[in-house]
Amino acid sequence: MARPLIATDVPGCRSIIDDGVTGFLCKVRDADALASACLRFRDLSRDTQIAMGLAGRAKMEREFGEAIVIAAYRDALAQVTAGN
């Protein structure tokens, strides 16, 4: 969807967000950090917000595209069934 993200800095979120490039990460259970990230995003120019979203979309296509996910799934299945 090419939208920037603001998320908590935890495994999973950390691997999909490049902080300051595709969105912002904030500290776990820290309302002030979340508010700060929202304000940082609000203060970006519209062009920068759009660029951040497009960078996120490109990252998802590059690292989590359909072919990549299917290949990883097949590899995992092959490893599980290799002993049978």
Side-chain angles (χ1 to χ4, degrees):
M1 295 184 64
R3 298 287 190 245
L5 300 173
I6 297 173
T8 307
D9 189 2
V10 296
C13 294
R14 189 178 303 133
S15 60
I16 63 169
I17 297 175
D18 294 332
D19 194 38
V21 177
T22 64
F24 295 114
L25 292 169
C26 56
K27 292 180 184 175
V28 177
R29 297 180 186 256
D30 187 333
D32 290 334
L34 175 59
S36 177
C38 290
L39 292 173
R40 284 175 60 202
F41 180 76
R42 181 202 64 186
D43 292 341
L44 296 174
S45 70
R46 183 70 180 135
D47 288 342
T48 301
Q49 291 174 348
I50 291 169
M52 188 177 271
L54 292 172
R57 172 67 186 211
K59 178 180 176 71
M60 292 301 101
E61 290 173 348
R62 184 176 60 252
E63 297 179 20
F64 301 99
E66 182 179 359
I68 295 167
V69 172
I70 290 171
Y73 183 72
R74 286 184 175 158
D75 289 345
L77 287 175
Q79 289 179 11
V80 169
T81 59
N84 294 331

